[in-house]
């Protein structure tokens, strides 16, 4: 059965810290992996990864995919209180379903 | 980015009534929309895939007669929770796929359903 597992489930850090969030997957017919940030309601799109080893960056956030080892990481440097949210990873399967992981709840303290 | 509009944002209803939730893609056409359900502090659970002009595809364990999905146009999908019961209380969120720049999913703002 296809699945996506994220770790840690929750994380508390102080402003300025760097965090690494993990997403491992076991899927058939992988197409892409996506990262989202969910604060209160709608998840907002962060990254889409399809190729191994190519880092994607957006400001203080970056992400990379390892298709051989079946995982992805999301890095956030110099964290701010506004980074507090639930971070979700999802994969797009060969049957065109977006399946989400359990999420990592990040809290950044001032 | 693409905009997906979902209404209502919050609804409170009595047990036994039906509730309709609308999901619209505002600036693009969406042949496929997805409906998710989210319980507090849990992840998004895919309920069904809504395809324009055809029947929705439901995930295992989701009652299609209870959660009616209609995708009559390229910009509108609706989810109707029929004969709602307290256990249907949840956060329902729709999403639409935007193709062209890879396949990305954009979400509506969600509907918090409370059944009394």
């Amino acid at each position: 059965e296809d699945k996506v597992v994220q770790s840690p489930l929750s994380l508390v850090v102080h402003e300025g810290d760097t965090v690494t969030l993990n997403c491992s997957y076991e899927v058939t017919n992988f197409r892409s992996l996506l990262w989202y940030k969910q604060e209160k309601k709608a998840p907002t799109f962060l990254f889409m990864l399809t190729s191994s080893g190519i880092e994607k960056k957006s400001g203080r956030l970056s992400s990379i995919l390892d298709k051989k080892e079946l995982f992805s990481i999301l890095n956030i440097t110099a964290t701010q209180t506004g980074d507090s949210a639930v971070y979700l990873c999802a994969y797009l399967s060969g049957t065109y379903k977006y399946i989400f992981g359990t999420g990592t709840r990040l809290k950044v303290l001032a | 980015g693409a905009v997906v509009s979902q209404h209502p944002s919050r609804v409170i209803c009595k047990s036994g009534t039906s509730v309709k939730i609308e999901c619209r893609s505002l600036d693009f056409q969406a042949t496929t929309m997805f409906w998710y359900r989210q319980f507090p502090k849990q992840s998004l659970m895919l309920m069904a895939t809504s395809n324009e002009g055809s029947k929705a595809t439901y995930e295992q364990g989701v009652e299609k007669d209870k959660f009616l999905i209609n995708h009559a146009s390229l910009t509108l999908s609706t989810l109707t929770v029929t004969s709602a019961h307290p256990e249907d209380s949840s956060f329902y969120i729709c999403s639409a796929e935007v193709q062209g720049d890879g396949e990305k999913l954009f979400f509506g703002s969600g509907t918090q359903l409370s059944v009394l």
Side-chain angles (χ1 to χ4, degrees), chain A residues 2-59:
Chain A
D2 294 351
K3 64 178 181 181
V4 180
V5 178
Q6 291 185 246
S7 64
L9 289 180
S10 64
L11 189 58
V12 180
V13 300
H14 290 277
E15 273 193 318
D17 289 349
T18 293
V19 297
T20 298
L21 309 183
N22 303 293
C23 175
S24 63
Y25 60 93
E26 295 178 21
V27 303
T28 53
N29 299 315
F30 172 90
R31 293 184 62 88
S32 60
L33 187 137
L34 304 96
W35 283 95
Y36 286 84
K37 177 183 181 182
Q38 186 177 26
E39 293 178 81
K40 289 187 178 179
K41 293 187 175 180
T44 53
F45 174 81
L46 294 176
F47 298 110
M48 183 180 72
L49 304 157
T50 56
S51 302
S52 275
I54 299 176
E55 185 183 51
K56 292 209 171 181
K57 287 179 69 70
S58 176

Side-chain angles (χ1 to χ4, degrees), chain B residues 38-105:
Chain B
Q38 188 175 34
F39 292 103
K41 298 190 177 182
Q42 293 190 23
S43 190
L44 300 170
M45 287 177 44
L46 180 63
M47 296 176 67
T49 303
S50 170
N51 300 296
E52 187 269 334
S54 64
K55 291 184 178 180
T57 304
Y58 290 83
E59 293 301 297
Q60 193 173 11
V62 178
E63 298 175 60
K64 60 182 178 182
D65 294 331
K66 174 136 190 91
F67 300 100
L68 299 178
I69 292 173
N70 183 276
H71 195 156
S73 77
L74 287 171
T75 59
L76 174 64
S77 175
T78 61
L79 168 68
T80 301
V81 183
T82 62
S83 187
H85 289 283
E87 57 265 30
D88 299 325
S89 298
S90 187
F91 186 64
Y92 295 88
I93 190 164
C94 73
S95 60
E97 189 178 52
V98 179
Q99 298 187 351
D101 182 20
E103 292 134 333
K104 297 178 183 177
L105 205 58

